[in-house]
Amino acid sequence: MSGTTLPGDPPGGRRAVAMWSIGVSVYFVAVIFRTSLGVAGLDAVERFHVGASALSTFSILQLLVYAGMQIPVGLLVDRLGTKKVLSLGAVLFTLGQLGFAFSPSYGMALASRALLGCGDALTFISVLRLGTRWFPVRRGPLVAQLAGLVGMAGNLVSTLVIARLLHGIGWTAAFAGSALAGAVVLVLTLLFLKDHPEGHEPAPSAHQGAVYVRRQIAAAWREPGTRLGMWVHFTTQFPAMVFLLLWGLPFLVQAQGLSRATAGELLTLVVLSNMMIGLVYGQVVARHHAARLPLALGTVAATALVWAVTLAYPAEHAPMWLLAVLCVVLGACGPASMLGFDFARPANPPERQGTASGITNMGGFVASMTTLFAVGVLLDATGDDYTVAFSAVFVLQALGVSQILRLRGRAARRERERLVASRVETVHVPA
């Protein structure tokens, strides 16, 4: 539990902050690369001469690779440790960004985004694992929210820096120049990162190939908290992800008649809102563990309400104040999705944290991938009717909420049982 100190907890401290900072810097760069297409969508249409469906394929393929790798990545992190997995991730997403910079064709650009998605997939679960190895359990919710906040800072760099570079120095120079950041974090990881503090080495586990993999996945999936965490992540993350990753800029420019500069400012508002709300959510959950589900469901309800009002607004364009409110509310989606890990974390022992986090993280990216595809197809089918296309958001939200409500009781009972058992074990630890 977040507020419980357990025997053998890592000490935290300055060294923990230093190690975690190195790991999270890799994730920071990965998010810059992941979201750089969000500000380059219209440029990509002109460069590769593609329509809405083909444009959405860039992000869909990237997220398909990302989502499909989450469970394997969790297993890899549990088995190999953070340093090796983060280093491999940095190599892959840097090569993907470079390939995207120099791609002369749509097919090569697709392959580059897939490679980028593969490297990106290795980062976030590794950072979560690094946090559990270096910080006490009670710091878990705040550390996870801070990781999400750093990721949104990477999104902010895409919105502010990559967008300006694209229109200043051009496609190739902007993407190739940004790839240098990947080389920097790779060197930092190789030279300085440690998987865990001295004296807190994880217990060795007997690896038994496919049998080990099946047992890890099955044991994590059997926990209601893991499944609840996955559905919380599924339901909360995707509206903002779809907006920032690809369709926000075209929606604001083409459907709402805004300039690119104004649309970019609204995208920046989403990111800033995410960062501020992330700090609030982290502090609230660290102090009041029972607030997790109300915060998650409240975020879903607010998102659905504001989206509905925006899409159904009777005038040709929604007013600026309503678009600003939409962007502020979308900023809560990222912090709310991090609450999913606060359900999965206490449901699984340390040796299964990576696998459980991988299952949880897969949820939001499956939802994002599905919505990206649906919006692209509906836009092509309706002649760019964004009201119809973005209505796909409500379908996935309804599915996710139904599953959250179905699992919440079982997850809560199981978590209480684990808390009682841990307290009994703590009482019986010899002085």
Side-chain angles (χ1 to χ4, degrees), residues 144-224:
Q145 288 289 353
L146 287 174
L149 187 151
V150 171
M152 290 310 296
N155 204 323
L156 190 62
V157 170
S158 290
T159 304
L160 297 178
V161 179
I162 302 295
R164 293 183 180 180
L165 288 176
L166 276 169
H167 299 291
I169 60 177
W171 179 284
T172 300
F175 282 105
S178 66
L180 293 174
V184 172
V185 295
L186 174 61
V187 171
L188 289 174
T189 302
L190 291 173
L191 292 180
F192 301 111
L193 187 64
K194 302 293 183 184
D195 281 344
H196 47 73
E198 294 181 8
H200 290 269
E201 294 82 1
S205 59
H207 193 285
Q208 299 176 348
V211 174
Y212 167 82
V213 170
R214 286 196 299 269
R215 286 177 179 172
Q216 283 285 92
I217 296 173
W221 182 255
R222 277 196 300 268
E223 292 292 342

Side-chain angles (χ1 to χ4, degrees), residues 163-421:
R164 293 183 180 180
L165 288 176
L166 276 169
H167 299 291
I169 60 177
W171 179 284
T172 300
F175 282 105
S178 66
L180 293 174
V184 172
V185 295
L186 174 61
V187 171
L188 289 174
T189 302
L190 291 173
L191 292 180
F192 301 111
L193 187 64
K194 302 293 183 184
D195 281 344
H196 47 73
E198 294 181 8
H200 290 269
E201 294 82 1
S205 59
H207 193 285
Q208 299 176 348
V211 174
Y212 167 82
V213 170
R214 286 196 299 269
R215 286 177 179 172
Q216 283 285 92
I217 296 173
W221 182 255
R222 277 196 300 268
E223 292 292 342
T226 304
R227 284 176 280 143
L228 178 58
M230 184 194 73
W231 283 108
V232 167
H233 199 270
F234 176 101
T235 313
T236 53
Q237 187 207 41
F238 78 93
M241 175 69 72
V242 168
F243 197 79
L244 288 170
L245 196 61
L246 185 61
W247 291 122
L249 187 68
F251 168 73
L252 294 172
V253 173
Q254 296 176 350
Q256 298 302 321
L258 302 181
S259 67
R260 282 198 181 202
T262 304
E265 291 172 358
L266 286 174
L267 293 178
T268 303
L269 181 59
V270 178
V271 178
L272 293 175
S273 171
N274 184 298
M275 296 171 73
M276 296 301 295
I277 294 173
L279 288 174
V280 174
Y281 278 19
Q283 293 287 354
V284 170
V285 174
R287 290 179 170 85
H288 308 285
H289 209 55
R292 293 170 300 170
L293 200 57
L295 285 175
L297 292 175
T299 301
V300 174
T303 304
L305 175 63
V306 179
W307 254 127
V309 173
T310 303
L311 295 177
Y313 197 79
E316 182 180 0
H317 298 142
M320 180 59 69
W321 67 263
L322 181 55
L323 295 176
V325 170
L326 172 66
C327 290
V328 170
V329 172
L330 285 175
C333 291
S337 73
M338 299 302 297
L339 299 173
F341 299 101
D342 291 323
F343 290 102
R345 189 184 302 110
N348 292 274
E351 63 271 14
R352 213 164 59 221
Q353 287 293 322
T355 306
S357 295
I359 293 172
T360 301
N361 204 34
M362 186 172 64
F365 287 92
V366 169
S368 297
M369 178 179 61
T370 303
T371 309
L372 283 167
F373 177 73
V375 170
V377 170
L378 289 171
L379 284 174
D380 281 343
T382 60
D384 292 338
D385 188 331
Y386 280 89
T387 299
V388 174
F390 274 121
S391 295
V393 169
F394 306 121
V395 177
L396 271 74
Q397 285 182 321
L399 172 63
V401 168
S402 69
Q403 295 301 312
I404 291 171
L405 296 177
R406 183 178 68 86
L407 289 165
R408 61 178 179 172
R410 276 179 279 174
R413 286 193 298 272
R414 180 66 171 151
E415 193 169 298
R416 285 194 297 268
E417 292 169 2
R418 283 186 173 274
L419 178 59
V420 171

